[in-house]
Amino acid sequence: MTNIALIFPGQGAQKVGMGLEFYKNSPEAKAIFDQADKICANGLTQVMFEGPEEKLTSTAYCQPAIFTMSAAGLKAFEAHPKYKGFFVKFTAGLSLGEYSALFASGALGFADTLRLVQQRAAFMEKATKENQGAMAAVIGFDKDKLVEICRRTGTQIANFNSHEQIVITGLR
């Protein structure tokens, strides 16, 4: 048996068409997508598979979509004969990805986790509208210069995702 760790992505990892191959090729993944459609009742998988991108990037859609994609990918992985000798020993996630990690670890079931993610997305969308805040990923920019720009403009560094990607936040 081979122990592995899984790290799940947060908001911003969404892409139109995500999950479609899993849906078509993995009965286990398809079951997750079908369950998500019943729970969300807003055409989630259609938006994931076909767009439009503006709808998928809205918090109300992208957070449930990313969690659903992560869960479906996990189920497809677990069912694949090539990976039968693998055991998920550790899970982690970036922001929203923490919910996928909780699901993958067995701490929460899919339906309960998806409902939590839906509520999280609704609260975040409401807060963004009330406070006119925004976040942006800055890619390939000098870290020290960005920190200085943020200091001068009242913007804040929200996260250092990598050496190449820094997330900033502030008033829109």
Side-chain angles (χ1 to χ4, degrees):
M1 182 161 305
T2 302
N3 292 328
I4 62 170
L6 299 177
I7 302 172
F8 294 95
Q11 188 167 341
Q14 69 277 354
K15 179 181 176 189
V16 172
M18 67 186 208
L20 185 57
E21 289 297 316
F22 283 133
Y23 183 85
K24 290 179 178 178
N25 297 305
S26 169
E28 295 79 9
K30 184 180 184 309
I32 289 290
F33 289 118
D34 291 344
Q35 189 177 0
D37 272 340
K38 287 178 184 164
I39 292 168
C40 294
N42 63 357
L44 178 65
T45 59
Q46 182 176 355
V47 173
M48 291 172 68
F49 300 159
E50 301 172 14
E53 185 175 353
E54 301 79 39
K55 197 171 200 177
L56 181 60
T57 58
S58 72
T59 302
Y61 276 87
C62 78
Q63 290 192 12
I66 291 167
F67 168 67
T68 297
M69 175 63 221
S70 295
L74 173 66
K75 291 302 178 185
F77 168 78
E78 290 174 342
H80 198 287
K82 181 178 177 180
Y83 304 110
K84 284 295 182 200
F86 288 76
F87 174 73
V88 178
K89 186 161 184 164
F90 302 101
T91 63
L94 172 63
S95 189
L96 169 68
E98 294 171 356
Y99 290 85
S100 300
L102 286 167
F103 168 70
S105 73
L108 293 170
F110 176 75
D112 288 338
T113 309
L114 181 55
R115 287 184 186 100
L116 284 171
V117 168
Q118 279 187 293
Q119 287 298 309
R120 178 187 198 267
F123 291 140
M124 288 179 71
E125 195 152 288
K126 182 180 179 205
T128 300
K129 288 177 182 174
E130 289 175 0
N131 298 308
Q132 296 301 306
M135 296 179 84
V138 179
I139 300 171
F141 196 80
D142 180 82
K143 174 184 144 190
D144 294 331
K145 288 180 183 176
L146 186 58
V147 167
E148 177 58 24
I149 290 168
C150 287
R151 186 189 64 71
R152 287 193 317 235
T153 61
T155 308
Q156 298 178 0
I157 301 289
N159 203 34
F160 293 98
N161 285 348
S162 72
H163 294 297
E164 291 295 315
Q165 186 183 72
I166 302 170
V167 179
I168 61 172
T169 186
L171 294 176
R172 188 166 299 197

